[in-house]
Amino acid sequence: MFDKTLNLADVHVTAAVYKNVAMLNSRTMEHPGVFGAFFLHGNSDFRVFTQFFQHIALEFADSPNPVLGCDEERP
């Protein structure tokens, strides 16, 4: 999942979070969510995110059933 959470003056930060299936929380018996890559960008518009997600999609092209999501924040 991706979430544009921070606006640091002229820089926006979008964080990737994923479930680490190699780990298991012994209390909840669920895989924990951990931070992945951070995307630093100057604009937060449709074009920037389209280019970003096209790049991500190419990286996962050989992965079986990748699931990507983001919140519904408007640019």
Side-chain angles (χ1 to χ4, degrees), residues 2-8 11-17 35 38-39 41 44 49 71 73:
F2 297 87
D3 186 13
K4 187 181 79 68
T5 57
L6 300 172
N7 182 353
L8 305 173
V11 178
H12 301 274
V13 180
T14 299
V17 180
F35 283 109
F38 288 88
F39 173 44
H41 45 104
S44 183
F49 278 95
D71 65 4
E73 180 178 337

Side-chain angles (χ1 to χ4, degrees), residues 2-3 5 9-10 12 14 20 25 27 29-30 37-40 42 44 48 51 58-60 63 74:
F2 297 87
D3 186 13
T5 57
D10 293 335
H12 301 274
T14 299
N20 187 338
N25 183 319
R27 186 172 41 86
M29 299 309 290
E30 293 184 7
F38 288 88
F39 173 44
L40 304 175
S44 183
V48 167
Q51 291 173 343
L58 286 173
E59 293 298 319
F60 284 101
S63 298
R74 298 267 182 211

Side-chain angles (χ1 to χ4, degrees), residues 12-57:
H12 301 274
V13 180
T14 299
V17 180
Y18 67 96
K19 293 232 179 211
N20 187 338
V21 296
M23 298 173 68
L24 192 63
N25 183 319
S26 60
R27 186 172 41 86
T28 64
M29 299 309 290
E30 293 184 7
H31 302 291
V34 295
F35 283 109
F38 288 88
F39 173 44
L40 304 175
H41 45 104
N43 283 328
S44 183
D45 59 17
F46 181 79
R47 182 178 178 166
V48 167
F49 278 95
T50 298
Q51 291 173 343
F52 173 61
F53 279 106
Q54 285 175 338
H55 176 76
I56 295 294

